Amino acid sequence: MVATTEAAGCPFTGKGGPILETGSLIDPEISARPKAYYDAMRADDPIHLDPKLGMYLVSRFDDIQSIQRDPITFSVYEGYNAQYAKGYFEEFKQILERDGGGYFPDAIMSDPPYHTRIRKLMDNAFSAHRVRELEPRISEIVVDVLEGMADKGQVDVVKAFSVPVTIRVICEQLGIAQYNADNIQRWSLAVTAQIGRMQNREQMIENAKGLCELQHFLIAQIRDRQDHPKEDMISDLVHARTDDQAEPTLTFKEVVSLVRALMIAGNETTATAMTNMFYILATQPKVAEILKRSADDDRLLSRFVEELLRIEPPVRGLSRMTTKEVEVGGKLLPKGAHLLLMYASANDQEDVFPCPREFDMERSNLGRHVAFGGGPHRCIGLSLARMEIRVAAREVIRRLDHFKLDIPVEEIRYLPTVATHSIEKLPVSFSRRV
Amino acid sequence: MSALEVTFVEEDGTVRTVAADAGQTLMEAGKGNGVVGILADCGGSCACATCHVYVDADWLEAVGAPDDVEAEMLDMVSDVRRDTSRLACQIRLTDRLNGLRVAVAPYA
C-alpha cells in the first residue's frame, strides 16, 4: 500500500512505532527532536499517557480545539498550578515569599469568570489596530539592532538579534527605560522553567533567585507608576478600571503577576520565533528567495509569519486539568487528569495541513494553526508578536543575504522544557545584501 | 441606547434573530446571545478570524468593506473567505444596521 503522504508527493514523515512505549517527552533527545514522537502519537495513541511526565499528551488538532473551547471542563487554573515548579512548589513558594517580595500567582492562568475579568482589562491594549500604530517604532528598533550586526558576517542570532529586539520592544511598551538585557533574559528563562518540567532542585533554587530579582525590579517600576502615571502598559494596569462594581481595580498581587507575564511572554516566545525565522532562511533557500522578492508585500510577509508559527511553534505544550470525568478523542479521562496540549503536533497534522513539513506560504487555511492556542486563553499578545516578526522578516531580508547555518542541523541545542521548543544558540553567517 | 435586531444564520441553517444595542459590535451581539460559531477567541481585537461572517448581499453597502488590518486576518482563512466576508468584531452596530442579516462562516 502506498502511504497517502507519498501519493501526495510529500516526504514521508514516519508513523507509529515503539517510540511511544519507550520514550517520554522529557527524554532530552525526544524533547529536542520531537516530530517522530508526535507522529507516533497522532497515529497510534492520540491522547497518550506519558508515564515519566505523568501527563496525557493531547496530539490531535480536533481534540486540542475542543478542549480549548471548554475552559470549565478543562481548567487552566488547575492544569497550570499542577505544572508550576512541580516537585518543589512549597520550597519555591517559600523562597519567593522570603526573598522576592511575595508569591504572586499568575492571574491570567485562571478560569472563567475570574479570567474573563482579567482578560477584558488587557484585550484593548493588544488589539491589531493599536499594534499597527506601534509598527514605525518597532521598525526603528529592528533596524538599529540589524545595523549593528549586518557587517559582522557571522553571529549567534539568539544573542545578537532575537533577544535584544524583543526585550527592547516589550520594555518600551511597559515603559521601562533602564534595564540590563542579560538579566531580563536570565529572568525570563527562570520563569518559563517553572512550567518546563525539566529542572532539578538545584536549578529550581537558582531560578527562584532569578524570579526574586525580577519581582523586585518590577515592583519598583509598579510603585513608581502608582505615584507617577505615564503613557505605558504598567501605568495602564496599575490604574485600570473594570465595570465590575465590587472589584473595580486590580489588586497589587494581580498587577505584579500581569506585568511579569507581559514581560516574559513578550520576549521569550517572540525571540524564539525570530530565531526560527533565521533557521528557515538558512536552511530553505527557496523560501529566502521568495522573501527577497517580497520585502514590500505585506500580504506575503503576513503569510510568511503565519507559516513560520505553524511549522515551528515556539510554545509547544501548555496544560489543562479535567474538572470531571470526560471523554476526549475516544478516551475516557478521569477527573483530575493532567493534560498537555501539544500545539506543535496539531500543526503537523496532515489532514489539516497537507504536506505539513513543507514551508508553504500559500496554504489556504493558514489562520487555523494553533501556535497561539485557542479559546478564551488564546495568546493575548498575538498581534504584537505577529507585528514584531513581520517587521523583523522585512528588515532582515532587505539588509542581509546568503544565510548559512554555521553548525550542522543535528547539533542545534534546545532549551530543556516541555512548554516551548526554543533554540539555545544559532550561529548563522550572512552577507550584507547589495 | 436603542434596541436593534440582527439576524445570524448559523452553519447548520438555524436562523437566530437577536436583540442588540447600537454601539455594540456584531460579534458582541452574537456571542452574548450564544450564536453558534461566533467564538471570538481574541476578545474582539481583530486578531483571530473566529467571528467570521458573510454579510447578506442587501446589507453589503451599509456594512462596508474591511480595512487592511481586517483584510489581512481574512486572508489567513482564504479557504472559506468570500467577497462578502467580514469579522463581526469589526462591525459596529448603528441604527442604520437595524435588521442586518449575516451567515456564520465555518471555522474548524
Side-chain angles (χ1 to χ4, degrees):
Chain A
M1 207 175 85
V2 180
T4 49
T5 44
E6 287 171 351
C10 304
F12 185 58
T13 49
K15 292 273 185 287
I19 190 171
L20 285 185
E21 282 148 48
T22 55
S24 163
L25 192 62
I26 51 176
D27 292 346
E29 259 317 297
I30 290 178
S31 175
R33 287 166 179 79
K35 296 295 179 200
Y37 192 63
Y38 298 154
D39 289 345
M41 271 194 284
R42 285 196 312 278
D44 291 347
D45 191 19
I47 300 188
H48 172 66
L49 179 61
D50 180 338
K52 263 200 207 171
L53 186 60
M55 296 180 86
Y56 291 91
L57 308 179
V58 182
S59 61
R60 292 186 63 88
F61 185 87
D62 290 345
D63 295 335
I64 289 177
Q65 289 286 34
S66 46
I67 288 170
Q68 293 185 138
R69 298 249 146 87
D70 183 354
I72 302 298
T73 307
F74 303 97
S75 164
V76 158
Y77 177 79
E78 304 280 344
Y80 187 78
N81 282 310
Q83 193 77 322
Y84 199 80
K86 181 143 181 140
Y88 316 103
F89 178 72
E90 282 308 320
E91 190 179 1
F92 178 84
K93 190 177 166 198
Q94 279 166 15
I95 297 174
L96 290 182
E97 282 169 347
R98 190 186 64 216
D99 303 330
Y103 171 70
F104 308 102
D106 272 291
I108 202 72
M109 294 302 180
S110 53
D111 301 329
Y114 176 83
H115 173 264
T116 316
R117 166 176 171 259
I118 299 287
R119 176 84 192 204
K120 268 192 180 161
L121 277 169
M122 304 180 76
D123 271 333
N124 279 343
F126 284 104
S127 79
H129 289 92
R130 181 156 190 269
V131 165
R132 181 59 70 96
E133 291 165 19
L134 304 176
E135 182 167 7
R137 182 57 196 141
I138 294 174
S139 298
E140 279 173 26
I141 292 172
V142 169
V143 168
D144 187 49
V145 173
L146 266 179
E147 284 300 326
M149 67 179 246
D151 292 317
K152 288 188 176 158
Q154 202 256 17
V155 298
D156 165 20
V157 296
V158 177
K159 223 176 160 61
F161 182 77
S162 314
V163 167
V165 166
T166 48
I167 286 180
R168 270 174 75 174
V169 171
I170 197 63
C171 283
E172 249 191 56
Q173 289 308 305
L174 292 170
I176 298 173
Q178 300 288 324
Y179 58 87
N180 175 321
D182 290 338
N183 281 344
I184 290 179
Q185 195 202 3
R186 185 166 52 82
W187 298 338
S188 301
L189 298 178
V191 173
T192 51
Q194 301 319 315
I195 55 166
R197 296 290 302 274
M198 289 170 79
Q199 64 177 353
N200 58 34
R201 180 165 174 271
E202 209 172 288
Q203 290 163 328
M204 178 280 290
I205 290 171
E206 197 54 34
N207 288 331
K209 272 190 204 159
L211 216 78
C212 291
E213 293 171 34
L214 167 64
Q215 291 186 174
H216 286 299
F217 179 77
L218 295 179
I219 287 170
Q221 297 283 337
I222 292 164
R223 297 272 184 228
D224 171 68
R225 298 312 187 286
Q226 286 173 336
D227 303 330
H228 310 101
K230 295 185 196 144
E231 289 287 317
D232 61 41
M233 279 187 177
I234 294 182
S235 304
D236 289 349
L237 285 174
V238 167
H239 300 282
R241 291 282 176 280
T242 60
D243 22 337
D244 184 341
Q245 303 292 328
E247 293 171 283
T249 58
L250 292 166
T251 66
F252 179 72
K253 277 192 152 190
E254 287 168 341
V255 172
V256 175
S257 88
L258 293 171
V259 172
R260 186 183 62 201
L262 290 177
M263 166 79 101
I264 306 312
N267 81 73
E268 220 272 310
T269 52
T270 311
T272 296
M274 289 184 185
T275 303
N276 291 341
M277 169 182 81
F278 274 94
Y279 172 80
I280 295 289
L281 292 174
T283 55
Q284 304 222 24
K286 273 189 201 157
V287 176
E289 211 39 54
I290 296 173
L291 273 194
K292 268 176 78 172
R293 297 193 302 265
S294 317
D296 299 314
D297 181 345
D298 274 346
R299 174 184 175 273
L300 191 108
L301 287 175
S302 292
R303 288 183 151 268
F304 169 78
V305 171
E306 235 46 41
E307 179 66 345
L308 177 71
L309 292 166
R310 183 197 68 79
I311 208 162
E312 291 292 343
V315 179
R316 64 158 157 200
L318 294 183
S319 48
R320 299 288 192 274
M321 189 173 273
T322 54
T323 54
K324 60 177 187 196
E325 187 180 81
V326 60
E327 193 184 310
V328 188
K331 195 170 224 160
L332 191 65
L333 298 173
K335 179 182 173 184
H338 200 191
L339 317 178
L340 195 65
L341 308 186
M342 305 302 315
Y343 302 122
S345 173
N347 281 359
D348 238 15
Q349 190 169 314
E350 248 162 349
D351 56 3
V352 182
F353 303 105
C355 303
R357 285 292 93 204
E358 248 169 56
F359 195 100
D360 178 3
M361 294 180 262
E362 293 304 326
R363 291 181 190 279
S364 62
N365 62 351
L366 259 186
R368 212 151 286 167
H369 73 74
V370 286
F372 290 120
H377 290 282
R378 183 184 281 246
C379 172
I380 195 165
L382 77 180
S383 293
L384 179 59
R386 280 175 174 139
M387 171 63 74
E388 286 186 63
I389 305 163
R390 179 163 76 175
V391 168
R394 185 178 67 212
E395 301 305 336
V396 163
I397 209 72
R398 275 181 179 162
R399 283 169 180 75
L400 307 180
D401 204 351
H402 304 111
F403 304 92
K404 199 173 109 342
L405 270 193
D406 283 339
I407 53 170
V409 171
E410 50 285 0
E411 281 176 26
I412 296 174
R413 290 166 49 94
Y414 294 83
L415 290 177
T417 162
V418 299
T420 67
H421 193 234
S422 311
I423 295 176
E424 273 184 39
K425 190 176 170 191
L426 193 73
V428 171
S429 57
F430 48 80
S431 59
R432 199 184 253 280
R433 188 170 171 185
V434 285
Chain B
M1 246 187 266
S2 50
L4 312 176
E5 267 188 4
V6 290
T7 298
F8 294 85
V9 182
E10 293 172 354
E11 236 192 298
D12 68 357
T14 307
V15 179
R16 303 276 307 274
T17 298
V18 304
D21 292 316
Q24 272 191 309
T25 66
L26 181 64
M27 177 279 280
E28 288 164 342
K31 192 169 163 122
N33 287 288
V35 172
V36 174
I38 300 294
L39 301 165
D41 280 4
C42 77
S45 62
C46 195
C48 76
T50 61
C51 66
H52 180 185
V53 296
Y54 306 125
V55 177
D56 216 65
D58 296 343
W59 287 95
L60 263 184
E61 205 186 318
V63 169
D67 69 11
D68 54 348
V69 173
E70 185 184 340
E72 250 168 40
M73 210 54 248
L74 286 166
D75 182 48
M76 296 303 157
V77 288
S78 57
D79 54 339
V80 289
R81 184 183 185 176
R82 298 183 194 156
D83 292 342
T84 57
S85 286
R86 288 293 312 264
L87 296 181
C89 71
Q90 300 303 304
I91 299 175
R92 184 71 61 184
L93 296 174
T94 60
D95 292 338
R96 220 180 136 210
L97 295 181
N98 191 16
L100 173 64
R101 190 181 171 95
V102 301
V104 180
Y107 185 67

